[in-house]
Amino acid sequence: MVERRSAIRGAVVWEALQSVLHTRRQSLSSARSLQVVDLGGGTGGMAVRIAELGHQVVVVDPSPDALASLERRAAEAEVTVAVRGVLGDAATLLDVVEPAAADVVVCHGVLEVVDDPGQALRAVAGVLLPEGYLSVLAAQRSAAVFARAVSGHLDDARTMLGDPDGRWGRSDPVPRRFTQEELETLLADAGFGIAEVRGVRVFTDHISSLVVDSEPGAAEALLALETAVATHRDFMAMATQLHLLATRR
Ligand SMILES: C[S@@+](CC[C@H](N)C(=O)[O-])C[C@H]1O[C@@H](n2cnc3c(N)ncnc32)[C@H](O)[C@@H]1O
C-alpha cells in the first residue's frame, strides 16, 4: 500500500506550483507551452507532472543515475518529447541551459546541498525570463530542531540551534538547513522579489502513518489542515520545509 503521508507531503507545493504555471501561461500574449527548468530535479517526480500539464521541462542534475530514472519515468508517463535530462549542476547551469529563456525554474531540495546557495540562485536568475517565476523548496531549521527534540535527541537539537548550517553533527544527512529570513535574504540578493511563502509539512511528519492510513477520513482531514495552515504565520516556524515563490525583478 502506498503511504498516504507521502502524497500529502507534496500536495501543498504542487497546488501552488500549478497555480503559478497557470498564471504565467495566462500572462503570455501568445499561446505556447511554458519552458520550465528543474534544477536538481533528480528522478523527475515533479518534471513529469509538469510535462503532463503540457509544458516543456529540462531537468538539470549532476547524477547520471537520477537522469536514467527520469528517462524511464518520462517514458512510462508517455511525456518523453516534453522532458529532457541534462547532466549539469548549479555551478554549470548557464553552460547547459539557454540564458533568459525559462518561464519557471523549480529548485526543490537543492539549496541544502549545493556548495554556494547564493551562486545557485544567481545562476537561476540568469536562466529566467524577466518576470519568470522561481519555486524554491528548502528544509527549515526551526522545525528540524523541534523534531530532534521531541524524538528525544535533546543534545542534537541544541547543537542544531547553534550550528550555522543547522546540522546536528557529521552524521546529519542534510548538509544545510535555513531560516525563513536566510532564504528571503538569499533570494533578494540574487534579484528576486518574493511573491508567496508557505510552510510545508507542518503536522504531517509528526502524525503516525498508522493513523493516516487506517482511520477513515484522516488523510483527507490532514490534507485539508496542511492546506489551511500553510500560509498561517503562527505555524510557519513548525514547517519541515519552506516553499517560496519569487519573480525575477
Ligand atoms: C534532495 S534531492 C531533490 C530532488 C528533487 N528536486 C525533489 O524535490 O525531489 C537533491 C537533488 O539535487 C541534486 N544535486 C546535488 N548537487 C547538486 C548541485 N550542485 N546542483 C544541482 N543539483 C544538485 C541531486 O543529484 C539530487 O537529485
Side-chain angles (χ1 to χ4, degrees), residues 140-169:
Q140 179 168 228
R141 186 179 310 177
S142 51
V145 171
F146 179 78
R148 283 315 269 177
V150 295
S151 62
H153 302 281
L154 302 175
D155 288 337
D156 286 355
R158 220 159 60 123
T159 304
M160 287 181 91
L161 262 183
D163 184 275
D165 288 325
R167 305 186 78 203
W168 68 68

Short mmCIF file of all heavy atoms in Angstrom, two decimals, residues 140-169:
data_model
loop_
_atom_site.label_atom_id
_atom_site.label_comp_id
_atom_site.label_asym_id
_atom_site.label_seq_id
_atom_site.Cartn_x
_atom_site.Cartn_y
_atom_site.Cartn_z
N GLN A 140 13.71 23.67 6.63
CA GLN A 140 13.70 24.75 7.62
C GLN A 140 14.32 24.29 8.95
O GLN A 140 13.97 23.24 9.49
CB GLN A 140 12.28 25.24 7.86
CG GLN A 140 12.23 26.37 8.90
CD GLN A 140 10.91 27.08 8.98
OE1 GLN A 140 10.88 28.29 8.98
NE2 GLN A 140 9.83 26.35 9.06
N ARG A 141 15.21 25.11 9.45
CA ARG A 141 15.98 24.75 10.64
C ARG A 141 15.11 24.59 11.90
O ARG A 141 15.26 23.64 12.65
CB ARG A 141 17.04 25.83 10.88
CG ARG A 141 17.99 25.47 12.00
CD ARG A 141 19.01 26.56 12.18
NE ARG A 141 19.63 26.91 10.90
CZ ARG A 141 20.53 27.87 10.77
NH1 ARG A 141 20.89 28.59 11.80
NH2 ARG A 141 21.06 28.14 9.60
N SER A 142 14.20 25.54 12.13
CA SER A 142 13.45 25.51 13.39
C SER A 142 12.66 24.22 13.55
O SER A 142 12.61 23.63 14.64
CB SER A 142 12.49 26.71 13.47
OG SER A 142 11.70 26.79 12.29
N ALA A 143 12.07 23.74 12.44
CA ALA A 143 11.27 22.51 12.52
C ALA A 143 12.16 21.30 12.78
O ALA A 143 11.75 20.36 13.48
CB ALA A 143 10.51 22.31 11.21
N ALA A 144 13.38 21.33 12.23
CA ALA A 144 14.29 20.20 12.46
C ALA A 144 14.75 20.17 13.91
O ALA A 144 14.89 19.08 14.50
CB ALA A 144 15.48 20.31 11.51
N VAL A 145 14.97 21.32 14.49
CA VAL A 145 15.33 21.39 15.92
C VAL A 145 14.19 20.81 16.75
O VAL A 145 14.40 19.97 17.63
CB VAL A 145 15.62 22.85 16.35
CG1 VAL A 145 15.79 22.94 17.86
CG2 VAL A 145 16.85 23.39 15.63
N PHE A 146 12.98 21.22 16.43
CA PHE A 146 11.79 20.73 17.15
C PHE A 146 11.69 19.21 17.01
O PHE A 146 11.48 18.49 18.00
CB PHE A 146 10.55 21.42 16.57
CG PHE A 146 9.26 21.00 17.21
CD1 PHE A 146 8.90 21.51 18.45
CD2 PHE A 146 8.42 20.09 16.58
CE1 PHE A 146 7.71 21.12 19.06
CE2 PHE A 146 7.24 19.70 17.18
CZ PHE A 146 6.88 20.21 18.41
N ALA A 147 11.86 18.71 15.78
CA ALA A 147 11.71 17.27 15.53
C ALA A 147 12.76 16.47 16.30
O ALA A 147 12.47 15.41 16.86
CB ALA A 147 11.82 16.97 14.03
N ARG A 148 14.01 16.97 16.34
CA ARG A 148 15.05 16.25 17.09
C ARG A 148 14.71 16.23 18.58
O ARG A 148 14.88 15.23 19.25
CB ARG A 148 16.42 16.92 16.91
CG ARG A 148 17.14 16.68 15.62
CD ARG A 148 17.19 15.29 15.10
NE ARG A 148 18.32 14.49 15.52
CZ ARG A 148 18.48 13.20 15.19
NH1 ARG A 148 17.59 12.60 14.44
NH2 ARG A 148 19.52 12.52 15.60
N ALA A 149 14.23 17.38 19.06
CA ALA A 149 13.93 17.47 20.50
C ALA A 149 12.80 16.52 20.89
O ALA A 149 12.92 15.76 21.86
CB ALA A 149 13.58 18.91 20.87
N VAL A 150 11.70 16.53 20.13
CA VAL A 150 10.55 15.72 20.54
C VAL A 150 10.79 14.22 20.30
O VAL A 150 10.07 13.39 20.86
CB VAL A 150 9.20 16.16 19.89
CG1 VAL A 150 8.81 17.54 20.35
CG2 VAL A 150 9.25 16.06 18.38
N SER A 151 11.82 13.90 19.50
CA SER A 151 12.13 12.47 19.35
C SER A 151 13.20 12.05 20.37
O SER A 151 13.73 10.94 20.30
CB SER A 151 12.57 12.15 17.92
OG SER A 151 13.74 12.86 17.60
N GLY A 152 13.52 12.95 21.31
CA GLY A 152 14.40 12.60 22.42
C GLY A 152 15.87 12.89 22.18
O GLY A 152 16.70 12.64 23.06
N HIS A 153 16.22 13.46 21.03
CA HIS A 153 17.63 13.78 20.73
C HIS A 153 17.90 15.22 21.16
O HIS A 153 18.08 16.12 20.34
CB HIS A 153 17.90 13.58 19.23
CG HIS A 153 17.62 12.19 18.76
ND1 HIS A 153 18.49 11.14 18.96
CD2 HIS A 153 16.56 11.67 18.12
CE1 HIS A 153 17.99 10.03 18.44
NE2 HIS A 153 16.81 10.33 17.94
N LEU A 154 17.95 15.41 22.48
CA LEU A 154 17.97 16.77 23.01
C LEU A 154 19.30 17.48 22.76
O LEU A 154 19.31 18.69 22.45
CB LEU A 154 17.66 16.73 24.51
CG LEU A 154 16.31 16.06 24.82
CD1 LEU A 154 16.10 15.96 26.33
CD2 LEU A 154 15.15 16.83 24.20
N ASP A 155 20.42 16.76 22.86
CA ASP A 155 21.71 17.39 22.59
C ASP A 155 21.82 17.79 21.12
O ASP A 155 22.33 18.86 20.79
CB ASP A 155 22.86 16.45 22.96
CG ASP A 155 23.01 16.31 24.47
OD1 ASP A 155 22.55 17.22 25.19
OD2 ASP A 155 23.55 15.28 24.92
N ASP A 156 21.32 16.91 20.25
CA ASP A 156 21.34 17.23 18.82
C ASP A 156 20.55 18.52 18.56
O ASP A 156 20.96 19.37 17.77
CB ASP A 156 20.66 16.11 18.00
CG ASP A 156 21.55 14.88 17.89
OD1 ASP A 156 22.69 14.94 18.36
OD2 ASP A 156 21.08 13.88 17.32
N ALA A 157 19.39 18.62 19.21
CA ALA A 157 18.54 19.79 18.99
C ALA A 157 19.30 21.06 19.38
O ALA A 157 19.25 22.07 18.67
CB ALA A 157 17.26 19.66 19.80
N ARG A 158 20.02 20.99 20.51
CA ARG A 158 20.76 22.18 20.95
C ARG A 158 21.94 22.48 20.02
O ARG A 158 22.25 23.63 19.73
CB ARG A 158 21.26 22.00 22.38
CG ARG A 158 21.10 23.29 23.17
CD ARG A 158 21.08 23.02 24.61
NE ARG A 158 22.34 22.36 25.00
CZ ARG A 158 23.17 22.81 25.91
NH1 ARG A 158 22.89 23.93 26.53
NH2 ARG A 158 24.24 22.16 26.24
N THR A 159 22.60 21.40 19.53
CA THR A 159 23.70 21.60 18.58
C THR A 159 23.20 22.30 17.32
O THR A 159 23.80 23.25 16.83
CB THR A 159 24.33 20.24 18.18
OG1 THR A 159 24.74 19.58 19.37
CG2 THR A 159 25.51 20.42 17.25
N MET A 160 22.06 21.84 16.83
CA MET A 160 21.50 22.43 15.61
C MET A 160 21.21 23.91 15.80
O MET A 160 21.43 24.72 14.90
CB MET A 160 20.18 21.75 15.24
CG MET A 160 20.33 20.39 14.70
SD MET A 160 18.72 19.74 14.31
CE MET A 160 18.57 20.26 12.64
N LEU A 161 20.69 24.25 16.97
CA LEU A 161 20.34 25.65 17.23
C LEU A 161 21.54 26.57 17.04
O LEU A 161 21.42 27.67 16.52
CB LEU A 161 19.86 25.79 18.69
CG LEU A 161 18.38 25.81 18.95
CD1 LEU A 161 18.14 26.03 20.43
CD2 LEU A 161 17.69 26.91 18.15
N GLY A 162 22.72 26.08 17.47
CA GLY A 162 23.91 26.94 17.41
C GLY A 162 24.74 26.73 16.17
O GLY A 162 25.71 27.45 15.96
N ASP A 163 24.39 25.75 15.33
CA ASP A 163 25.22 25.45 14.16
C ASP A 163 24.84 26.40 13.01
O ASP A 163 23.66 26.54 12.71
CB ASP A 163 25.00 23.99 13.74
CG ASP A 163 25.91 23.60 12.59
OD1 ASP A 163 25.52 23.85 11.42
OD2 ASP A 163 26.99 23.07 12.86
N PRO A 164 25.84 27.01 12.35
CA PRO A 164 25.50 27.97 11.29
C PRO A 164 24.75 27.32 10.11
O PRO A 164 24.01 28.00 9.40
CB PRO A 164 26.86 28.52 10.82
CG PRO A 164 27.90 27.64 11.43
CD PRO A 164 27.29 26.95 12.60
N ASP A 165 24.94 25.99 9.91
CA ASP A 165 24.23 25.32 8.82
C ASP A 165 23.01 24.55 9.32
O ASP A 165 22.34 23.86 8.54
CB ASP A 165 25.17 24.34 8.09
CG ASP A 165 26.20 25.09 7.26
OD1 ASP A 165 25.85 26.16 6.71
OD2 ASP A 165 27.35 24.63 7.18
N GLY A 166 22.74 24.64 10.62
CA GLY A 166 21.57 23.95 11.16
C GLY A 166 21.71 22.44 11.11
O GLY A 166 20.75 21.73 10.82
N ARG A 167 22.90 21.92 11.40
CA ARG A 167 23.12 20.46 11.38
C ARG A 167 23.30 19.97 12.82
O ARG A 167 23.74 20.72 13.68
CB ARG A 167 24.37 20.12 10.58
CG ARG A 167 24.34 20.68 9.18
CD ARG A 167 25.53 20.17 8.39
NE ARG A 167 25.32 18.81 7.95
CZ ARG A 167 26.29 17.95 7.64
NH1 ARG A 167 27.54 18.33 7.76
NH2 ARG A 167 26.01 16.75 7.23
N TRP A 168 23.01 18.69 13.04
CA TRP A 168 23.19 18.17 14.39
C TRP A 168 24.52 17.45 14.55
O TRP A 168 24.87 16.99 15.62
CB TRP A 168 22.04 17.27 14.81
CG TRP A 168 21.92 15.96 14.09
CD1 TRP A 168 22.78 14.90 14.16
CD2 TRP A 168 20.88 15.56 13.22
NE1 TRP A 168 22.33 13.88 13.37
CE2 TRP A 168 21.15 14.25 12.78
CE3 TRP A 168 19.71 16.18 12.76
CZ2 TRP A 168 20.33 13.55 11.91
CZ3 TRP A 168 18.90 15.48 11.91
CH2 TRP A 168 19.21 14.19 11.50
N GLY A 169 25.27 17.35 13.46
CA GLY A 169 26.58 16.70 13.54
C GLY A 169 26.94 16.10 12.20
O GLY A 169 26.22 16.28 11.22
#
